[in-house]
Amino acid sequence: MKHLVVNADDFGFTTDVNAGILRAHLEGIVSSASLMANGSAFEDAAGIAERHASLGVGCHLTLVQGESLACPGKPLAPTIARLLAAPPSANEVRNEFRAQVEALLARGIRPTHLDTHKHIHVFPPVLDAVASVADEYGIAWIRKPFDIPLGMPRGARTGLAAVLRPFRIPFEDRLRRARCRTSDYFAGFVTTGSLEARWLASLLASLPCGVGEFMCHPGICGPSLSRAATRLKESREMELDALCSPVVRRTVEEHGIRLVSYGQLPG
């Protein structure tokens, strides 16, 4: 059996991103989204989640960009480099993540999963905080952010595996000690900003059995996204087109892929 969570990141970032995610869910293959509790369009996203229960919603934990929820008015690090140069304490990270989960709960949203903005939980201290918060709130699933390098030359795949190995080993060891699960495989990182329908259909046709997650970033390049501090603007519309493509939808059906959210899977 092939179960696939097609998860749209950055839900709550801007209203244009929210609109793209909703369209990708209603007209395309998106089954899940990760909500930024400190996003400028959080309330808009929470309203969408309330009206569309078929969209699974997790928490997109962040220590980079925007303002802290644990310490209102305090800006978070603007970049990963700045975060690593002056990392917060373990207690500060846990408190920030708790505050972000609590923001979803306060809007009646029970997170189906946890992941992080910019994949910062590949770093062991951050992963430890994510796993602790998952255990504390009974959240069953955490993203495993290590891509299937399909479509890459053999040499590049080998090189990518070598680069990721120092992060993958402690990641998997920490999750074995937690009361949460992760998918059997993850894809979408290497195509962020360049996803198109033909490539996506090819990936879907080659997926293995088990539970997988495909990460995506759909959106509509309107006024709110155009003003936002992100490199992903026009590319979000390209991803939206791919996710709604008839070729992609047909590939899902032909290969017996069941589109699910994490909330539809056993914890």
Side-chain angles (χ1 to χ4, degrees):
M1 180 69 72
K2 298 179 181 179
H3 292 87
L4 183 64
V5 178
V6 181
N7 191 84
D9 281 12
D10 300 342
F11 196 31
F13 182 55
T14 74
T15 54
D16 290 330
V17 168
N18 294 350
I21 289 173
L22 178 59
R23 180 182 162 197
H25 174 59
L26 297 178
E27 302 178 20
I29 66 169
V30 164
S31 56
S32 174
S34 294
L35 178 52
M36 301 177 75
N38 72 336
S40 64
F42 171 77
E43 286 297 329
D44 178 69
I48 290 172
E50 184 177 25
R51 295 189 298 273
H52 298 276
S54 57
L55 179 67
V57 178
C59 190
H60 199 47
L61 300 168
T62 183
L63 296 175
V64 178
Q65 297 181 333
E67 289 192 358
S68 166
L69 294 190
C71 300
K74 178 182 177 181
L76 298 175
T79 64
I80 293 178
R82 291 280 293 276
L83 176 70
L84 296 179
S89 69
N91 191 53
E92 288 173 326
V93 175
R94 282 193 296 271
N95 285 342
E96 183 60 38
F97 288 169
R98 287 189 188 107
Q100 293 179 19
V101 170
E102 289 284 353
L104 270 68
L105 294 173
R107 288 294 274 106
I109 299 170
R110 178 73 184 173
T112 61
H113 65 282
L114 298 177
D115 53 43
T116 58
H117 191 46
K118 307 292 186 182
H119 304 294
I120 54 174
H121 66 301
V122 298
F123 301 109
V126 180
L127 174 62
D128 191 65
V130 174
S132 295
V133 169
D135 284 347
E136 180 179 348
Y137 288 92
I139 299 170
W141 294 87
I142 291 176
R143 171 180 287 169
K144 176 169 62 178
F146 302 104
D147 218 347
I148 296 179
L150 299 179
M152 296 178 67
R154 183 181 298 274
R157 291 201 303 270
T158 301
L160 180 62
V163 169
L164 293 178
R165 184 176 174 81
F167 296 99
R168 183 189 295 270
I169 292 175
F171 185 98
E172 294 179 346
D173 179 65
R174 178 62 182 88
L175 286 192
R176 277 193 292 269
R177 295 184 282 110
R179 294 191 298 274
C180 50
R181 293 186 61 189
T182 188
S183 60
D184 298 316
Y185 62 87
F186 170 80
F189 178 75
V190 297
T191 54
T192 297
S194 60
L195 180 66
E196 56 89 30
R198 184 178 302 179
W199 186 94
L200 179 55
S202 176
L203 172 72
L204 293 170
S206 63
L207 290 180
C209 292
V211 175
E213 179 184 349
F214 179 76
M215 175 190 70
C216 56
H217 295 82
I220 295 171
C221 197
S224 68
L225 181 55
S226 296
R227 293 191 301 266
T230 176
R231 70 179 178 87
L232 302 178
K233 295 184 178 181
E234 292 82 1
S235 66
R236 292 182 189 264
E237 288 201 350
M238 183 172 70
E239 292 206 19
L240 176 59
D241 289 342
L243 293 162
C244 296
S245 165
V247 172
V248 167
R249 294 175 65 94
R250 186 164 59 249
T251 302
V252 168
E253 295 174 1
E254 290 175 348
H255 289 269
I257 299 169
R258 184 185 173 205
L259 300 175
V260 296
S261 70
Y262 280 116
Q264 295 172 301
L265 296 169

